[in-house]
Amino acid sequence: MSDLQQEIQPKGAKIKGNKPVNQLEAANRFIAASAHQQMHDQRLWDLRKKRDAQMHLIPEWEELRDLASDIKSHTLDHLADYLEEFERNAKANGVHVHWAKDAQESNQIIAGILKEHDAKNLVKSKSMLGEECLLRQHLEEEGVTVIETDLGERIQQLDKEDPSHVVVPAVHKSRTDVSKVFVKTLNAEEGNNDVHYLATTQRETTRPYILNADAGMTGANFLVAETGAVVVCTNEGNADLSANTPPLHIVTVGIEKIIPKMEHLAVFIRLLSRSALGSPITQYTSYFSGPRKGGEMHVVLVDNGRSTRLASHKFKAGLKCIRCGACMNTCPVFRRSGGLSYGSVYAGPIGLILSPTYNVHKYRNLPFASTLNGSCTNVCPVKINLHEQIFAWRETLAEEKELSLSKRIIMTSLGKLFAHPKAYRMAVQTGDKLLSYLPHFMVYNQLNTWGRQRDIPTPPKETFHSWYAKNYMKKGKADE
């Protein structure tokens, strides 16, 4: 057996009420499971490379990104108008449209629709908004059986875990991990970790739920204001089954998913799957313009803090996100720490700027889980300035006094040191000399978090300032 088959899958962050999530502790546990960490890193980097290959096949790629970003910016500037246009056209198509100000109201509306139709069995396709609103938990408390039909989401549901990625929810699991889950929950053949067998097992055990469901639910990748239509992009066809097999179809969608016209849809369809998975297009791009024959369709438009973000000059751009996961696939921190280490629905770079908007205290550590290298910004199909927004969140956390005590002490001390150039230069010179003579155990100790996983660079013989002073200042060449 390989190390990956023997190794136990690491679990995610330990959630303790409203206490700040300790992403570092969870990340360290994920890194310690070296076989899983390497598998996770390689899988996501493979998606990044496939994305790049697709990008190079399209000469107008950067023009598409500019256009997508401009369309989103324009739409956000006129969001109320386009939402009302969508509502008018959707209603004209026979769709019931509901508005929810927050997660609680959204859950109540959906539970009310199901109760009105005496629906006790719901099948649903992947919806990050559903995860955001804790919808499944709410409906189960109301006596509704909810079955996830997406393969990755079903794996996570059976294992009682949250999705770890917005596109590939179980990417942190090996096929042996999945096999163990299916043996425990689906009576699968023990020890059989063949991927085709596992996928077939999930499909065959989920299909009866779909055929006997009272209602189906999907999310939405896009809403088209011009036509009042809902667009869903999937690779398994489960969204189409969830929407068309039961008599009742419910769509839950964030208000930022709106785009003005059909002609704009093509721009995003060309970018979405290429950015997410490195494939030219999703296997299914479904366009729901109304209820099926003899059926009923409801669309629940959910705010849940989006209007607040819309009013924020700093963080408004985050609403452009089309949930492709490209920023996660390229992020070195996410690839090596796993999505569940963030303890939030949204992980990776996009999660660092979204999560604090829901609970600034609980997620105050997340904006520091980044190297600010800018790779996330470079791959974002709608050109969100992710690394700049992550940095802006760090500023905001400091302003709102949400930094940890250790960070406050360090930042205050460094601020005073940097404010006095002579003291700073003296500290650098002293530090360089000490590093050259101190024994190893005194440098690499519990206080030196930087040195836990890397060697400190060898100090230079002289600093740039001392070299400049010696070669120019003393020779009267300061103006050269």
Side-chain angles (χ1 to χ4, degrees), residues 20 24 60 83 141 189 209 217 267 460 469 472:
L24 178 61
E60 67 273 21
L83 286 170
E141 289 173 3
E189 180 185 332
Y209 288 109
M217 174 177 287
V267 175
Y472 284 86

Side-chain angles (χ1 to χ4, degrees), residues 27-81:
N28 284 335
R29 282 191 284 107
F30 191 83
I31 292 169
S34 59
H36 277 81
Q37 185 270 317
Q38 290 172 18
M39 172 201 70
H40 188 262
D41 188 9
Q42 290 169 1
R43 281 181 177 177
L44 294 178
W45 189 244
D46 183 56
L47 293 179
R48 165 66 204 268
K49 288 192 293 184
K50 288 178 178 177
R51 175 259 178 205
D52 290 351
Q54 287 294 323
M55 173 192 71
H56 291 306
L57 291 175
I58 301 178
E60 67 273 21
W61 180 262
E62 289 304 320
E63 292 177 41
L64 283 171
R65 290 181 69 212
D66 286 334
L67 185 55
S69 179
D70 290 344
I71 292 169
K72 278 289 186 177
S73 294
H74 166 81
T75 308
L76 291 173
D77 288 342
H78 303 86
L79 187 59
D81 296 330

Side-chain angles (χ1 to χ4, degrees), residues 344-372:
S344 171
V345 171
Y346 301 109
I350 190 63
L352 305 191
I353 66 173
L354 293 184
S355 299
T357 65
Y358 298 110
N359 188 327
V360 68
H361 179 69
K362 186 174 182 177
Y363 300 118
R364 70 183 190 182
N365 292 327
L366 296 191
F368 295 93
S370 170
T371 64
L372 299 179

